[in-house]
Amino acid sequence: MTSSQRPTTYRIAWLPGDGIGREVTEPALAVLDAVAEAHGFFLDVGEHAMGGCAIDATGVPLPDATREACMAADAVFMGAVGGPAWDDQPPETRPERGLLALRRLLGTFANLRPVSVPKTLAGASPLRREIVAGTDLLIVRELTGGIYFGEPRGTVEEAGEGGHTESVSFNTMRYTDAEIERIARVGFEWARRRGRRVTSVDKANVLDVSRRWRALVSEIGASEYPDVHLDHLYVDNAAMQLVRNPRGFDVVLTSNLFGDILSDLAATLPGSLGLLPSASLGAPNQQRCVGLFEPVHGSAPDLAGQGVANPLAAILSGAMLFDALDRPEAAAAVRSGVTGALDAGYRTADLAGHGPTAVTTEAMARCVSQYALRAPSRASLVVE
Ligand code: IPM
Ligand code: MN
């Protein structure tokens, strides 16, 4: 597609959500707006309620109006949901349920979570510099199946021993072959664009669903991607290896729950969860699939309202959004802005440590804008 055929305006459904969600996505959107304009296109941003704020306003975490706006958008840009105020909500109306419903609604089964450690940040990691420096991996997490959604689920009363009834609670880890196969292909395709290695993570020594996962991933690897090196790790071992030797990974392919856990673990590598972006995408051949772009971090209610949160995860999620809209130059400019700001020594409180004085969320984002606009041609610098 030539640039002249691409749209010049994209509709973005903005769901700031709860806690620091708005604080990080609002300045991130300012960066995205500025970069878009510099590259000859525009973002038409509409704000919608999701999560705890939506519960307060409408009684439900994902109101119909928000659903419709997301379905009609070109992309959804989200902050974070949840917080102590809604912890006592019944399960059906918890803020997190809104996010899960949205992922299902959009059909975004493939969650991409890149983890890289920029040279300038290797010292910020709690792990030794020589272990983390040069880390560049991509977690491909299945996002709309597995134990997050499996039925049956719930709590029931059952007849227990001695005639008493007892409460029993359960969830179901469940994958169809088709669900495993489509996420496996996403993992292999990404490996082809990167280092041609896939590590599939499961618990095949214990779980039936994992045995099937492993068999299908092996089959697809052998028949469709013989050029990609595949190995398998049990999830417990994968957790250890990610900390011991993160550079040993290229694409980590895994299920919903394991991917959730491993991506927080991987966030310790660059030293802050405030750095990790994500993109949730549907099938590439689907006629129209709206992607969901959000930082990996949560709503961090303890930080909210202080202007100290790190906006880089949100900003880098914006770079992934530009990639999905087929605007790679704008995506590269955003990443180059982030690298420029970090190289120049700017840090929010999460990364400032004992070094330079921390800047505010807004100042960090402004700084990214400046570097992004200054050097739009310095491409893909965050991954080193
Ligand atoms: C994430 C979050 C969500 C998840 C929660 C908020 C439902 O932890 O995106 O990693 O578990 O998927
Ligand atoms: Mn998580």
Side-chain angles (χ1 to χ4, degrees), residues 54-140:
I55 295 173
D56 292 347
T58 70
V60 293
L62 183 64
D64 287 343
T66 302
R67 282 174 192 265
E68 282 155 28
C70 290
M71 290 299 283
D74 294 304
V76 179
F77 189 58
M78 210 196 94
V81 294
W86 306 281
D87 274 352
D88 296 330
Q89 289 280 329
E92 290 313 314
T93 49
R94 284 184 64 95
E96 291 82 0
R97 273 295 170 92
L99 176 55
L100 298 185
L102 180 62
R103 289 171 176 170
R104 266 298 255 264
L105 174 76
L106 299 176
T108 52
F109 68 88
N111 181 223
L112 310 177
R113 297 186 162 183
V115 181
S116 61
V117 179
K119 273 195 195 113
T120 41
L121 286 184
S125 174
L127 299 176
R128 284 203 307 276
R129 175 186 287 272
E130 61 270 26
I131 291 182
V132 298
T135 294
D136 176 13
L137 58 90
L138 174 67
I139 298 177
V140 176

Side-chain angles (χ1 to χ4, degrees), residues 339-350:
T339 309
L342 288 173
D343 285 353
Y346 294 96
R347 302 280 185 276
T348 40
D350 53 325

Side-chain angles (χ1 to χ4, degrees), residues 36-245:
E37 214 176 309
H39 286 82
F41 63 97
F42 300 93
L43 304 178
D44 174 8
V45 178
E47 181 184 335
H48 306 279
M50 216 272 277
C53 60
I55 295 173
D56 292 347
T58 70
V60 293
L62 183 64
D64 287 343
T66 302
R67 282 174 192 265
E68 282 155 28
C70 290
M71 290 299 283
D74 294 304
V76 179
F77 189 58
M78 210 196 94
V81 294
W86 306 281
D87 274 352
D88 296 330
Q89 289 280 329
E92 290 313 314
T93 49
R94 284 184 64 95
E96 291 82 0
R97 273 295 170 92
L99 176 55
L100 298 185
L102 180 62
R103 289 171 176 170
R104 266 298 255 264
L105 174 76
L106 299 176
T108 52
F109 68 88
N111 181 223
L112 310 177
R113 297 186 162 183
V115 181
S116 61
V117 179
K119 273 195 195 113
T120 41
L121 286 184
S125 174
L127 299 176
R128 284 203 307 276
R129 175 186 287 272
E130 61 270 26
I131 291 182
V132 298
T135 294
D136 176 13
L137 58 90
L138 174 67
I139 298 177
V140 176
R141 167 190 176 195
E142 200 291 329
L143 199 63
T144 52
I147 199 167
Y148 271 56
F149 294 93
E151 299 284 346
R153 64 189 298 159
T155 298
V156 297
E157 300 300 315
E158 276 186 4
E161 276 172 36
H164 308 285
T165 62
E166 60 180 356
S167 264
V168 185
S169 304
F170 47 90
N171 288 87
T172 304
M173 189 183 276
R174 180 180 186 279
Y175 273 114
T176 64
D177 282 7
E179 285 173 322
I180 297 171
E181 287 164 3
R182 66 180 181 177
I183 193 69
R185 290 195 176 96
V186 172
F188 283 115
E189 290 294 333
W190 275 98
R192 267 194 182 150
R193 298 165 68 174
R194 300 171 42 97
R196 291 186 184 261
R197 279 184 302 128
V198 168
T199 303
S200 175
V201 174
D202 61 40
K203 189 69 184 172
N205 51 345
V206 175
L207 302 175
D208 298 277
V209 59
S210 280
R211 272 195 288 281
R212 188 70 182 153
W213 175 284
R214 188 175 282 219
L216 289 173
V217 171
S218 297
E219 225 173 275
I220 289 180
S223 62
E224 299 174 32
Y225 300 90
D227 53 314
V228 176
H229 181 266
L230 168 67
D231 52 21
H232 303 272
L233 286 182
Y234 298 137
V235 61
D236 46 352
N237 188 20
M240 183 170 71
Q241 301 305 335
L242 272 169
V243 174
R244 285 188 58 198
N245 181 26

Side-chain angles (χ1 to χ4, degrees), residues 346-364:
Y346 294 96
R347 302 280 185 276
T348 40
D350 53 325
L351 289 169
H354 302 295
T357 323
V359 299
T360 63
T361 310
E362 289 224 6
M364 189 72 190

